[in-house]
Structure formats: C-alpha cells, structure tokens
Amino acid sequence: AQSVSQHNHHVILSEAASLELGCNYSYGGTVNLFWYVQYPGQHLQLLLKYFSGDPLVKGIKGFEAEFIKSKFSFNLRKPSVQWSDTAEYFCAVNYGGATNKLIFGTGTLLAVQP
Amino acid sequence: GAVVSQHPSWVICKSGTSVKIECRSLDFQATTMFWYRQFPKQSLMLMATSNEGSKATYEQGVEKDKFLINHASLTLSTLTVTSAHPEDSSFYICSATWAGTQYFGPGTRLLVL
C-alpha cells in the first residue's frame, strides 16, 4: 500500500540549530513530493515541491529538501532555525495518476526555543 | 496567487441538522478539489476528491450519503454534512489543484452538540 512515514513526531531545537526532518515513502514508481507547513492557528502552506530535475529543491524561508530515489526519501533541511519556524511540518506524496491525490505523512511538530 | 478560501471558518450546530461548507479557489480555476478531515494532533485524512461537473470520488470508509459533495463550478466545491452527529465534530479542510500542486484552504471547525 502507498504510504508516507515521518520518523520524528516531535522535535525541539534551540534557535540557530540545524534541522533535518525525515520523510520516506513506499515504492510506487514516479512520484511528486511535497513539504507543507502549518503554523499555529494557520492553514497548510506549501514549503517546496519536487516534480523532476535537480533532486535538491529549495523552498521558501530558507528550507530545502533532497530527493534520494534509491532511499525513497525526501528529507527537509534548514541550516539555522528561527523561533518563527515553530510549526507542524507535513510530507506528502503524489503517486501519479490524473487526480493529483496526496498521501500525507503523520506530521512532525517542531518547537524552536528562543 | 493560488489562494483558497473556506466558509464558514467555524460552525456550531445541533445534532441532526445539516451543515454546508464552501471551498473556493479565488484566483484560479480548479477542476479538482479535495476534502480532508484533520483530527487533533493527527495528519490529514482524505475524504473525497471533488470533480467539477461529475460525481465525487470517496475514499474507503467515507459515507457518500452523509458527506455530500457538489462541485458545480470551476471555483466552488461544497461539502454538506447531513444529519450531523457529535462524532462528526472535526476540522474540515479543502484544497484545490493548480499546476499539479494542491493549495489548501484555512479549514472549517465543526462542532456538533
């Protein structure tokens, strides 16, 4: 079955620390990959996406993610987090087809301490 | 660009009544919209795919007669929770697709008393 797993349910970091959130998906051929962020009290916003091309994708607010096909992974990174990055982060995968349906990971709650 | 709105942002209703939630793509047209439920501290659960001009496609376990979806135009999809019960209380989120990417609305919090 198609599935997406995020290994860390909660992450607590101090400001300026580096961040890496894991995301793995089950095999399914060609995939489109997404990271969304949900700030407290706000709606889901797109951070970045990968469809094809350079596997290192840069998104908004200094985030980037690397698609490693052999590992079925799409980990999210940021070299130096800020207090304002406190939010919940969701990895999502589209396994193709005409509907653009997304399978979401369970989310990782990031808390950045000032 | 790619802004999606939902109305209402929250609603409280009595058990047995029906509630309609609207999802609009404000600056683009979307042939496909999606409806999700999000439970506290959990991820999004896809309920159904809303297709403009045709019937919605429901995920396994979602009652199509309880959660009526209508996608009458390229910018509007509605979700009606019929005969709502307390267990239907949840956060309902819609998304609309543009250029292969889903853009999400702010969600509607439903509380059924």
Side-chain angles (χ1 to χ4, degrees):
Chain A
Q2 297 167 343
S3 65
V4 179
S5 63
Q6 291 181 240
H7 317 298
N8 312 99
H9 295 292
H10 303 95
V11 173
I12 302 174
L13 294 173
S14 298
E15 276 193 315
S18 64
L19 169 72
E20 181 160 3
L21 301 182
C23 173
N24 285 89
Y25 61 94
S26 60
Y27 172 74
T30 301
V31 293
N32 295 326
L33 302 157
F34 304 82
W35 274 98
Y36 287 89
V37 60
Q38 189 172 28
Y39 296 103
Q42 297 188 29
H43 63 284
L44 279 164
Q45 299 174 37
L46 180 67
L47 263 184
L48 47 79
K49 60 186 177 183
Y50 172 81
F51 284 2
S52 63
D54 188 343
L56 184 61
V57 179
K58 294 195 184 297
I60 60 172
K61 303 186 181 186
F63 286 91
E64 65 179 30
E66 185 175 12
F67 171 49
I68 302 179
K69 191 174 181 179
S70 60
K71 295 184 178 180
F72 306 106
S73 69
F74 191 55
N75 293 355
L76 181 71
R77 299 195 293 249
K78 185 171 183 178
S80 176
V81 295
Q82 301 173 319
W83 177 79
S84 57
D85 293 324
T86 294
E88 189 151 21
Y89 293 81
F90 294 94
C91 179
V93 178
N94 167 239
Y95 281 91
T99 65
N100 295 306
K101 194 162 79 170
L102 288 177
I103 308 295
F104 276 85
T106 51
T108 298
L109 184 61
L110 170 66
V112 180
Q113 298 175 326
Chain B
V3 179
V4 177
S5 70
Q6 278 184 246
H7 178 81
S9 54
W10 59 271
V11 57
I12 302 173
C13 69
K14 291 183 179 179
S15 186
T17 61
S18 294
V19 174
K20 180 185 283 189
I21 303 170
E22 293 185 349
C23 177
R24 292 181 185 272
S25 55
L26 297 185
D27 51 0
F28 65 101
Q29 294 182 328
T31 54
T32 305
M33 292 184 176
F34 298 88
W35 287 96
Y36 296 84
R37 283 180 78 165
Q38 186 177 29
F39 294 97
K41 299 183 181 180
Q42 293 189 33
S43 188
L44 282 75
M45 183 194 80
L46 179 64
M47 298 174 65
T49 303
S50 172
N51 303 299
E52 188 268 334
S54 64
K55 290 183 179 179
T57 305
Y58 290 82
E59 295 299 301
Q60 193 172 11
V62 178
E63 299 176 59
K64 63 179 181 180
D65 295 329
K66 180 165 188 63
F67 298 101
L68 299 179
I69 291 171
N70 184 278
H71 194 155
S73 79
L74 287 170
T75 59
L76 173 64
S77 174
T78 60
L79 169 69
T80 301
V81 183
T82 62
S83 186
H85 290 284
E87 57 265 29
D88 299 324
S89 298
S90 191
F91 193 52
Y92 293 88
I93 304 173
C94 74
S95 71
T97 301
W98 181 71
T101 300
Q102 287 189 34
Y103 293 90
F104 288 82
T108 296
R109 190 162 301 282
L110 170 63
L111 177 61
V112 185
L113 302 177

